[in-house]
Amino acid sequence: MNFQKNKILIISIMFLSVLKLDAQENIRSLFFNLPLESSRDSIYSSIEKLGFIKNSDRKVYQGGKTIKTFSGYLDNKSSDSIQIQLSTGSRSIENEKYYQNLLIIWSYHHFSSNKTAKKFYNDRKRKMRKITTHKPYHSKNYYDDIKTGFSDSFVDSDNQFELSIEFKKEGKQFIVIQDYTRNEGQKKLKKQFKKKKELIYRKIDNKELYQYFNVEKAPTTKRCESKEEKTIECIKNSILRKISRNIDFDDFGLTSGKHRIQSSFIVDKNGEIINIKTRHDNEKLCKEIKESINETEIITPAIKNGEKVNFIISFPLVITID
C-alpha cells in the first residue's frame, strides 16, 4: 500500500514538474524565447544575440553592484516596430518583513492599424491566461491623456512572477506592451523587526534652546563616543548614516535629479529626541526619515556651563536619483 502511495506521489511530482516546464516554455514564446528563468546576465546576452540594438545607457546600482539593464529595438524591415527593455525595480508590501528586488522585461509592439493591434493584444492575453492561474486584473481608460487604454494582469499560483499586457494609443500609433516581472531574491526590511518608537512633540521655549556655537559639548551618539568626537558634525553624520542604511530611496517614486529634504529636531536635556520636523513634497518619505531619526540613540545630551541643556539640530539631506 505504501509503495502504491509513493508511486502516486512520484507521478504527481513529475506531472507538476512537466506542467511547470511547459508554463516556462509558453512564457518564453511570449518574449522572443528569452531564458526568463535564468540569470539577468543570460537574459542580457540573449537579447543581444536576437539582434536587438541598444539605444540607451542606464546604470542601476543595488548593494554597491551595477545591475545590467537594456533598452533597444529589433532591427527588422517590417512596418511595425518592436522594442524591448530589461529593467529592475523593487516591490515592498506593508506589514511584511521583506521587499523583493525585481527583474522586469517589457516588450513594446507598435502598430499603425487599430484592428491589428487589438487582435495581437487579445491573442497574447489568451496565452497569458492559460499560463497563469489567478483571475486577471483588468483596468480600463486609466490614461488621462488618451481616450483608449486598458490592461490585464496575471499572477502565477506561487506569486513568483507576474504577466501583464497593456493597450494604448499615442498619436496615430497603437502600442501593445507586454510585461514580465520576476522576484530576484528577498531582502529584510530592518525596521520591520523593531517596535517603532513613538514620535514625541513637546513645547519648549526658544530661550531654552541652544545650538553648537553656544554649548561646550554637542550631544553624542554611541558612534561619536567611541570615536571621542563630541562635535555637531559627528552627530549629523550619525543621523545621515542611519537614514541612508534604513531607507531605500528608490521606493518613493521620486523624479530623477537632486532632492533636498530639510530636517530638524531637538535633543532635550534628558537625551531624548523630540519635535522632529522634515520638509519635502513626498509625505511618505518624510515619515520614513522622521522614524529613522527617532531611532538614533543619544548617549549624552548637550552640555553648557557643566549642565545638561536642550539642543536643536537642523540640517539638509540631499539625495540624487539617477
Side-chain angles (χ1 to χ4, degrees):
M1 191 72 174
N2 284 338
F3 174 74
Q4 268 189 320
K5 281 182 181 176
N6 288 340
K7 192 176 178 183
I8 290 165
L9 180 63
I10 290 165
I11 291 167
S12 300
I13 290 167
M14 286 174 71
F15 178 67
L16 288 171
S17 299
V18 169
L19 281 179
K20 195 171 182 182
L21 284 170
D22 190 44
Q24 285 175 353
E25 286 304 314
N26 287 334
I27 297 167
R28 274 189 171 202
S29 68
L30 294 173
F31 294 88
F32 313 100
N33 285 314
L34 293 172
L36 299 173
E37 71 284 358
S38 301
S39 67
R40 182 180 284 272
D41 284 351
S42 298
I43 295 170
Y44 188 96
S45 300
S46 298
I47 290 171
E48 290 188 317
K49 284 176 185 174
L50 285 166
F52 279 88
I53 299 168
K54 193 165 186 175
N55 65 353
S56 74
D57 257 331
R58 176 173 170 258
K59 282 196 174 181
V60 177
Y61 301 95
Q62 278 180 8
K65 294 181 180 178
T66 305
I67 304 297
K68 281 193 173 178
T69 62
F70 184 97
S71 179
Y73 58 92
L74 190 62
D75 187 23
N76 63 357
K77 293 177 182 178
S78 67
S79 56
D80 298 324
S81 62
I82 301 171
Q83 292 170 279
I84 195 165
Q85 191 174 327
L86 167 65
S87 193
T88 189
S90 63
R91 178 192 287 132
S92 92
I93 304 163
E94 200 123 3
N95 300 324
E96 286 204 0
K97 294 179 181 178
Y98 302 97
Y99 78 82
Q100 288 83 40
N101 288 326
L102 304 175
L103 175 144
I104 307 166
I105 296 277
W106 282 289
S107 67
Y108 303 80
H109 305 264
H110 301 253
F111 300 90
S112 51
S113 161
N114 184 11
K115 188 178 177 181
T116 310
K118 284 189 176 175
K119 185 177 181 300
F120 180 85
Y121 181 95
N122 289 322
D123 174 60
R124 293 304 173 97
K125 179 180 166 182
R126 274 194 297 272
K127 288 181 179 178
M128 287 182 181
R129 194 192 294 273
K130 284 180 184 176
I131 296 163
T132 52
T133 52
H134 288 203
K135 191 178 177 182
Y137 173 78
H138 183 77
S139 298
K140 252 188 175 180
N141 299 325
Y142 55 94
Y143 282 94
D144 295 331
D145 57 338
I146 57 172
K147 292 179 181 177
T148 311
F150 47 87
S151 74
D152 290 273
S153 296
F154 308 81
V155 183
D156 82 316
S157 55
D158 299 325
N159 284 316
Q160 289 304 306
F161 68 85
E162 184 178 326
L163 294 172
S164 68
I165 189 162
E166 181 182 320
F167 177 98
K168 65 177 183 175
K169 182 185 177 187
E170 284 186 0
K172 293 181 179 180
Q173 274 199 327
F174 301 91
I175 306 170
V176 177
I177 304 166
Q178 294 184 136
D179 178 344
Y180 168 86
T181 300
R182 184 190 85 193
N183 293 339
E184 278 194 309
Q186 294 180 319
K187 184 177 177 180
K188 292 179 183 179
L189 291 171
K190 297 174 188 175
K191 56 186 175 295
Q192 293 292 106
F193 295 100
K194 292 182 184 176
K195 189 178 178 183
K196 290 178 182 176
K197 281 174 66 182
E198 186 183 349
L199 294 168
I200 298 170
Y201 293 90
R202 196 161 58 238
K203 193 173 181 180
I204 293 182
D205 193 327
N206 287 337
K207 292 177 183 176
E208 295 179 13
L209 286 177
Y210 294 87
Q211 295 184 54
Y212 70 95
F213 52 81
N214 54 13
V215 295
E216 293 153 19
K217 291 179 183 176
T220 58
T221 61
K222 191 173 181 179
R223 187 165 178 266
C224 298
E225 283 283 318
S226 63
K227 294 181 78 175
E228 296 185 352
E229 285 186 35
K230 296 175 175 58
T231 64
I232 185 65
E233 291 308 316
C234 188
I235 190 169
K236 281 183 181 179
N237 288 335
S238 293
I239 299 285
L240 292 170
R241 196 180 171 91
K242 182 167 277 291
I243 290 170
S244 65
R245 282 183 172 181
N246 282 3
I247 299 174
D248 186 345
F249 293 101
D250 291 334
D251 288 343
F252 299 93
L254 299 172
T255 54
S256 296
K258 286 189 177 181
H259 292 263
R260 186 184 178 91
I261 303 109
Q262 190 62 40
S263 306
S264 69
F265 60 94
I266 293 169
V267 177
D268 72 5
K269 58 180 72 175
N270 299 314
E272 193 170 35
I273 292 178
I274 63 171
N275 301 8
I276 304 170
K277 295 177 184 176
T278 55
R279 195 166 67 247
H280 189 270
D281 293 339
N282 193 310
E283 290 182 12
K284 188 181 174 186
L285 176 58
C286 287
K287 182 173 177 284
E288 291 283 328
I289 291 171
K290 283 180 184 178
E291 287 174 357
S292 279
I293 294 172
N294 201 38
E295 284 176 14
T296 307
E297 187 183 351
I298 302 296
I299 303 298
T300 55
I303 304 292
K304 181 176 174 63
N305 298 329
E307 291 187 4
K308 298 171 182 178
V309 293
N310 300 315
F311 188 86
I312 187 165
I313 298 173
S314 180
F315 61 91
L317 171 66
V318 180
I319 58 169
T320 303
I321 304 294
D322 290 336

